[in-house]
């Protein structure tokens, strides 16, 4: 069995099945057997039924999501609402012949948005006529397992199976010869390893990011501080499309640092089940230790921790940290932190800021902030990212990545 942990306490919640080769083979065979009839079915009613299931599950399962992931309850509830809306959207999509289903899909999801990212794979796969074997992260398997059982009640047998477990479960699933397509959201390192597996037929990846935000001269830091802060620290900074580094140009630098720190000091960090909590714990001990290590390393290299850092007590709590005098030689800048720490880099010119923003391998999202939106848009056009916005960063979907942050390819059988 696989233990599920509460990040707010560090204590075990319960256990879920730790599946292995026999369970993988059974699930894939069931998905393959269900595939022809599912492709021939009018699936719109089934997707609408899935939307209803997600909505009705929210009052019961949102607290479970908060317990195993750590996010505040209101964010967990919003995740369910977004997932239901996604099922409804794809219920209205009529896929053309080029995207018709072609056998079972292996869907591997991360721990930061277990419900939202699972449905982001399930809804289009179902709409296209695919059956799915879904493997959630071993950090957050509980909500997905419960939801999967509820969805299976409104779907034909074999259309959806949820397998929980730790490594090498994912490798076993994607290497199974019955799997025709793979959808994965996670780190670039894992994505590279997956791309070396010759058995895959078709591959879609959403990999890590290290999103830059450029603040132009003349910007009023107080006017953008709240939006910029939450673009970095929502879900405790554990979002692939979060702002992870800021390049502040010229005299605006000190004001940006001060304004962000002012917001950070007022934010309520605590158990996601406690009313009023705005930021919950980091999801797991390895992530907490990584964020702490990157912060300590940056301080040793000359960065100044204006506010924030690890908190005492049980659980994996870390107050949002603003790092001043960060520079591109620090790993906290050049690597994805995926946690509640934000380095602010001082730049002399816009050209310098653009060059530094483009210097890392990921290319998920980026943003430019400034009073003159036309000029900001010109600067934004120079960023090498899949999605770039002006005076906002995390907005409504869709978004796309580039370079190491996204890939879609057909691989040899």
């Amino acid at each position: 069995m696989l233990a599920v942990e509460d990040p707010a306490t560090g204590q075990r919640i319960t256990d879920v099945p730790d599946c292995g080769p026999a369970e993988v083979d059974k699930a894939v065979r069931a998905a393959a057997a269900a595939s022809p009839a599912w492709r021939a079915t009018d699936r719109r009613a089934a997707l609408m039924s899935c939307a209803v299931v997600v909505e009705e599950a929210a009052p019961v399962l949102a607290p479970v999501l908060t317990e195993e992931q750590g996010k505040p309850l209101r964010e967990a509830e919003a995740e369910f609402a977004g997932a239901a809306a996604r099922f409804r959207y794809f219920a209205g999509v009529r896929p053309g012949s080029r995207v018709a289903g072609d056998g079972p899909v292996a869907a591997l999801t991360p721990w930061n948005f277990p419900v939202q990212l699972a449905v982001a794979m399930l809804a289009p796969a179902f709409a296209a006529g695919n059956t799915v074997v879904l493997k959630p992260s071993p950090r957050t398997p509980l909500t997905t397992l419960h939801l999967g059982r509820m969805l299976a009640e409104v779907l034909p047998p074999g259309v959806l199976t949820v397998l929980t477990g730790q490594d090498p479960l994912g490798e076993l699933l994607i290497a199974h010869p019955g799997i025709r397509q793979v959808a994965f959201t996670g780190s670039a390192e894992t994505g590279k390893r997956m791309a070396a597996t010759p058995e895959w037929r078709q591959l879609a990846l959403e990999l890590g990011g290290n999103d830059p935000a450029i603040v132009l001269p003349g910007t009023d830091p107080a006017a953008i501080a709240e939006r910029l802060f939450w673009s970095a620290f929502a879900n405790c900074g554990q979002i692939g499309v979060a702002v992870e580094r800021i390049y502040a140009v010229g005299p605006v630098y000190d004001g940006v640092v001060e304004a962000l720190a002012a917001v950070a000091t007022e934010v309520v960090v605590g158990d996601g089940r406690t009313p009023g909590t705005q930021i919950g714990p980091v999801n797991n001990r390895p992530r907490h230790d990584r964020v702490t290590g990157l912060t300590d390393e940056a301080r040793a290299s000359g960065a100044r921790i204006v506010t924030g850092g690890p908190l005492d007590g049980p659980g994996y709590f870390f107050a949002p940290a603003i790092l001043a005098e960060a520079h591109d030689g620090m790993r906290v800048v050049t690597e994805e932190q995926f946690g509640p720490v934000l380095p602010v880099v001082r730049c002399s010119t816009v050209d310098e800021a653009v060059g530094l923003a483009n210097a890392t391998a990921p290319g998920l999202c980026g943003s430019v902030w400034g009073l003159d939106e036309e000029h900001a848009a010109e600067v934004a056009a120079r960023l090498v990212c899949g999605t770039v916005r002006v005076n906002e960063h995390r907005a409504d979907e869709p978004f796309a990545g580039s370079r190491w942050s996204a890939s879609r390819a057909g691989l040899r059988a």
Side-chain angles (χ1 to χ4, degrees):
M1 299 296 284
L2 173 67
V4 183
E5 188 179 75
D6 180 348
T9 65
Q11 300 299 310
R12 171 185 165 277
I13 302 169
T14 188
D15 297 322
V16 297
D18 190 6
C19 297
E23 291 84 0
V24 168
D25 187 62
K26 181 180 179 181
V28 176
R29 288 181 181 275
S35 184
W38 181 240
R39 285 201 306 272
T41 299
D42 184 346
R43 297 173 294 277
R44 290 174 293 178
L47 267 73
M48 288 300 294
S49 295
C50 288
V52 173
V53 166
V54 172
E55 287 177 333
E56 293 180 345
V60 175
L61 293 186
V64 178
L65 176 55
T66 289
E67 186 177 27
E68 69 172 343
Q69 201 280 333
K71 64 183 59 182
L73 182 58
R74 71 181 189 285
E75 294 185 18
E77 293 168 341
E79 190 167 337
F80 276 87
R86 194 182 297 266
F87 268 129
R88 281 201 165 84
Y89 171 81
F90 278 97
V93 171
R94 289 183 173 272
S97 59
R98 295 183 63 186
V99 294
D102 182 24
V105 171
L108 290 79
T109 57
W111 48 259
N112 59 332
F113 287 93
V115 174
Q116 178 175 313
L117 292 177
V119 174
M121 298 178 186
L122 294 178
F126 289 166
N130 294 106
T131 55
V132 180
V133 181
L134 172 63
K135 189 204 82 67
S137 166
R139 303 285 184 190
T140 53
L142 192 55
T143 310
T144 308
L145 185 61
H146 288 322
L147 183 61
R149 289 168 177 164
M150 298 171 73
L151 290 172
E153 293 180 1
V154 300
L155 294 168
V159 170
L160 171 63
T161 303
V162 177
L163 297 179
T164 59
Q166 55 194 328
D167 292 339
L169 178 60
E171 287 82 354
L172 291 171
L173 176 59
I174 60 180
H176 193 287
I179 291 295
R180 304 302 301 169
Q181 302 177 60
V182 176
F184 170 77
T185 298
S187 70
E189 291 74 17
T190 302
K192 288 179 183 179
R193 294 198 303 271
M194 294 169 70
T197 304
E199 290 85 1
W200 292 346
R201 275 65 176 180
Q202 205 170 33
L203 174 67
L205 303 178
E206 181 198 330
L207 304 180
N210 187 11
D211 287 8
I214 296 176
V215 183
L216 298 176
T219 306
D220 179 3
I224 66 169
E226 283 278 347
R227 282 176 293 146
L228 189 53
F229 177 90
W230 288 112
S231 294
F233 290 105
N235 198 32
C236 202
Q238 299 165 137
I239 302 178
V241 293
V243 171
E244 300 221 23
R245 49 197 169 114
I246 292 178
Y247 298 99
V249 182
V252 77
Y253 181 88
D254 290 336
V256 169
V257 171
E258 292 170 6
L260 289 171
V263 177
T265 57
E266 297 297 322
V267 166
V268 178
V269 179
D271 190 319
R273 292 159 290 200
T274 302
T277 293
Q278 295 173 281
I279 294 180
V282 176
N283 174 256
N284 56 79
R285 170 61 68 184
R287 179 57 45 182
H288 183 275
D289 290 347
R290 172 171 166 78
V291 174
T292 301
L294 289 174
T295 303
D296 290 344
E297 184 180 294
R299 178 170 53 188
S301 298
R304 176 169 57 92
I305 302 177
V306 183
T307 188
L311 301 176
D312 295 332
Y316 309 132
F317 292 101
F318 194 109
I322 306 299
L323 304 187
E325 307 307 332
H327 58 76
D328 241 42
M330 299 174 176
R331 289 199 303 142
V332 75
V333 176
T334 59
E335 298 181 10
E336 181 181 32
Q337 317 102 15
F338 210 71
V341 56
L342 181 61
V344 186
V345 178
R346 187 190 301 272
C347 296
S348 299
T349 66
V350 172
D351 287 345
E352 180 188 8
V354 171
L356 293 173
N358 288 338
T360 57
L364 198 49
C365 299
S367 57
V368 178
W369 304 70
L371 285 175
D372 185 341
E373 291 197 353
E374 184 175 343
H375 174 55
E378 292 172 355
V379 176
R382 298 168 59 189
L383 294 182
V384 185
C385 304
T387 305
V388 186
R389 296 184 171 95
V390 171
N391 288 331
E392 61 180 354
H393 192 92
R394 291 183 56 243
D396 292 338
E397 298 182 77
F399 66 88
S402 65
R403 298 190 293 184
W404 283 10
S405 294
S407 175
R408 184 171 182 85
L411 302 182
R412 64 184 181 276

